[in-house]
Amino acid sequence: MTTSTSPTANAVPQFAALDLGSNSFHLIIARLVEGQLQPIFKFKQPVQLAQGLNGRYLSDAAIERGVEALKQCAARLEGFDPENVKVVGTHTLRRAKNRKQFLAAAARVMPYPIEVISGREEARLIYRGVCETIAEKGSELVIDIGGGSSEFAFGKDKKAQFLSSRSVGSLVCSEQFFGDGKLTAKRFEKAVVYVRQQVEPVANGLAGYTIQSVFGTSGTIKAIHQWVVKRAGEQPLGLTLAHLYHCRDELIAAKHLSDLPTDIISEDRKQSIAGGVAVLIGVFEELGIERMLPHDSALREGVLYELAQEVLSHQDVRERTISSLAQRYSVDGAQADRVWRTAYQVYQRAAALWQIDSHDLELLLEGAAKLHEVGLSISASGVQKHSGYILANAYMPGFNAEEQRFLATVVRFFRKKIKPEELPELALFEHSQLLKLMIILRLAVIINSDRQDRELLQDVKVTANGLTLKLTKAARLDSVLQAQLADEAKTLGKLGYRLT
């Protein structure tokens, strides 16, 4: 009898994380037992999404493979509360110019939104996944060799201090240097040199740190470790450079991927194994690694633990990120709070009718209100452009790529003209939602333009395409504020919204 993984099977809270990697899609489901997450189901489907990335466009075949895998995952997630499920896309979806085509096709079979995360965010979540599942504390380097990219995270006492993502992975490297299946010493030499060049910035970034342990995650590292175990006839204490050289030499001796013994590498791993060995050798040589300990946990576990923490303790990493950025750029906290109070007053009235009543959109509006003046650290002139640029390019833990673009765009147009042609493409949100949050922030900024603690907005009435502001006597007597609101009414009128 098969035990159901549906959360309706019992009352114990269950959480699910789905990692859409360049090589494979990984699903993990866990239940909460006495405050601890206990994995109850894992599913891996080889997809080789990166193999279909031709000239930065996903091929139809790659999209079809991905959607088919998502169908299988969706069947396992049927009945889950959307709040308890998180789906993340990594390197290949970050790079694909036709990502929107894939996401649209995915949405037809997967009822949960797919969040495409940045490389540094991926590294942070991988690090968390490892740290949540090791007992010892110390200074550890975590390395994940994916199909399209490799992530590096260093931390001490389970707190990340250095994060990096490099666009060099096992599948991409295999296609670049071993695409026709031929395996030669010269090709390996070129591949390793290339990898070392890509990883050099990581070596420079880690130069000042003392590393006690090195952990390796991902299917590539586990496959190579299993290969070493089979050849050694015993369980070695981690991987060494000598082990990797033996693997390289065995590949060269085989001369072609098709001639690799099946007892070494499974069929689904053959396309990426040569590149995987080359990447790992390059990483070991460039970073001076003596020994790497393979570890089972990776990105999906990091996503899972963070998701559970957010749901159970209502601690959202994004809130900490907003506070951290405000502090870093010396934002005027009192003014930010004034703008947020007014924005929230309008948001409460508009949320349901304007279809912006979600936790994510409320948090994005809060972030925009509290961070719209980060650009003052550059210049007061054109502050909206500076603020938008900073938020578009800053590292923002917890925010996926689209959320960050959304937030940066709202802030970019918190004053002056709104340019519809500069609005980004969106998959997780509607353009109308972006525009509505922009309108709310602009009004909140105008109403608080005197930077004083005055009650100016008494009430708000909302229609499908308009706002009526009921102002206090002090606001009605403020000629500057009246002129600003009159100008804003003209601006919003051009966008189809009425302000009275």
Side-chain angles (χ1 to χ4, degrees), residues 49-74:
L49 205 61
Q51 198 174 36
L53 196 62
N54 302 315
R56 293 194 65 179
Y57 284 88
L58 284 170
S59 66
D60 291 341
I63 292 175
E64 188 177 338
R65 290 196 302 270
V67 170
E68 188 57 39
L70 286 174
K71 281 183 185 177
Q72 299 179 51
C73 295

Side-chain angles (χ1 to χ4, degrees), residues 276-462:
V277 170
V279 170
L280 213 45
I281 289 174
V283 168
F284 264 67
E285 290 182 352
E286 189 62 26
L287 301 186
I289 296 172
E290 295 181 4
R291 189 175 300 274
M292 172 184 282
L293 304 173
H295 194 77
D296 285 334
S297 294
L299 173 61
R300 53 199 171 276
E301 283 80 11
V303 171
L304 190 70
Y305 278 99
E306 190 150 289
L307 173 65
Q309 179 188 11
E310 290 177 3
V311 172
L312 297 172
S313 62
H314 305 288
Q315 294 180 348
D316 196 319
V317 175
R318 294 172 297 180
E319 292 175 359
R320 295 201 298 271
T321 297
I322 291 168
S323 297
S324 175
L325 279 173
Q327 185 175 6
R328 185 189 312 168
Y329 288 96
S330 303
V331 168
D332 182 342
Q335 176 65 3
D337 287 341
R338 291 184 200 103
V339 171
W340 169 230
R341 282 197 300 270
T342 303
Y344 187 62
Q345 185 179 356
V346 179
Y347 173 81
Q348 284 183 304
R349 290 282 190 264
L353 184 59
W354 279 9
Q355 296 182 331
I356 52 175
D357 53 339
S358 74
H359 170 68
D360 288 336
L361 287 170
E362 182 182 325
L363 184 136
L364 287 168
L365 179 60
E366 181 179 1
K370 293 183 175 180
L371 298 174
H372 72 282
E373 289 191 333
V374 292
L376 285 176
S377 60
I378 299 175
S379 173
S381 176
V383 59
Q384 75 280 4
K385 296 180 181 178
H386 303 314
S387 293
Y389 178 83
I390 288 172
L391 295 180
N393 293 279
Y395 171 52
M396 300 184 68
F399 287 85
N400 63 54
E402 183 163 311
E403 286 173 337
Q404 188 166 352
R405 283 197 301 273
F406 188 106
L407 175 62
T409 305
V410 172
V411 168
R412 164 66 182 84
F413 296 106
F414 83 80
R415 61 194 287 267
K416 302 292 185 180
K417 292 181 180 178
I418 296 175
K419 300 177 181 178
E421 68 275 9
E422 292 187 16
L423 302 186
E425 288 192 359
L426 300 171
L428 301 177
F429 304 101
E430 300 292 335
H431 267 123
S432 61
Q433 294 174 321
L434 175 67
L435 189 59
K436 287 165 183 172
L437 260 62
M438 207 180 290
I439 291 171
I440 294 173
L441 178 63
R442 289 170 68 92
L443 289 174
V445 170
I446 289 171
I447 290 169
N448 292 280
S449 59
D450 64 352
R451 310 180 80 91
Q452 301 296 318
D453 290 321
R454 296 197 297 162
E455 292 297 327
L456 300 175
L457 181 61
Q458 189 172 328
D459 199 5
V460 183
K461 291 184 180 179
V462 182

Side-chain angles (χ1 to χ4, degrees), residues 23 145-148 168-175 220 269 271-272 275-276 279:
N23 246 338
I145 308 296
V168 55
S170 59
L171 193 57
V172 171
C173 190
S174 288
E175 288 186 342
T220 294
R269 185 63 62 181
Q271 290 298 322
S272 62
V279 170

Side-chain angles (χ1 to χ4, degrees), residues 137 267 379:
K137 283 189 175 182
E267 282 298 324
S379 173

Side-chain angles (χ1 to χ4, degrees), residues 176-201:
Q176 185 171 346
F177 295 97
F178 312 100
D180 58 1
K182 292 181 181 179
L183 304 168
T184 67
K186 191 171 184 179
R187 290 188 179 196
F188 267 100
E189 185 180 346
K190 287 183 177 179
V192 170
V193 169
Y194 172 76
V195 172
R196 292 192 63 167
Q197 289 172 340
Q198 299 302 308
V199 178
E200 184 180 7

Side-chain angles (χ1 to χ4, degrees), residues 15 19 22 36 94 113 152 158 173 214 260 281 288 294 307 318 327-328 358 378 389 400 458 468 473 488 497 499:
F15 300 90
D19 159 22
S22 299
Q36 298 294 317
R94 283 196 294 271
F152 304 84
K158 303 189 178 183
C173 190
V214 179
L260 285 177
I281 289 174
L307 173 65
R318 294 172 297 180
Q327 185 175 6
R328 185 189 312 168
S358 74
I378 299 175
Y389 178 83
N400 63 54
Q458 189 172 328
T468 298
K473 183 178 180 180
E488 185 65 9
Y497 287 86
L499 174 65

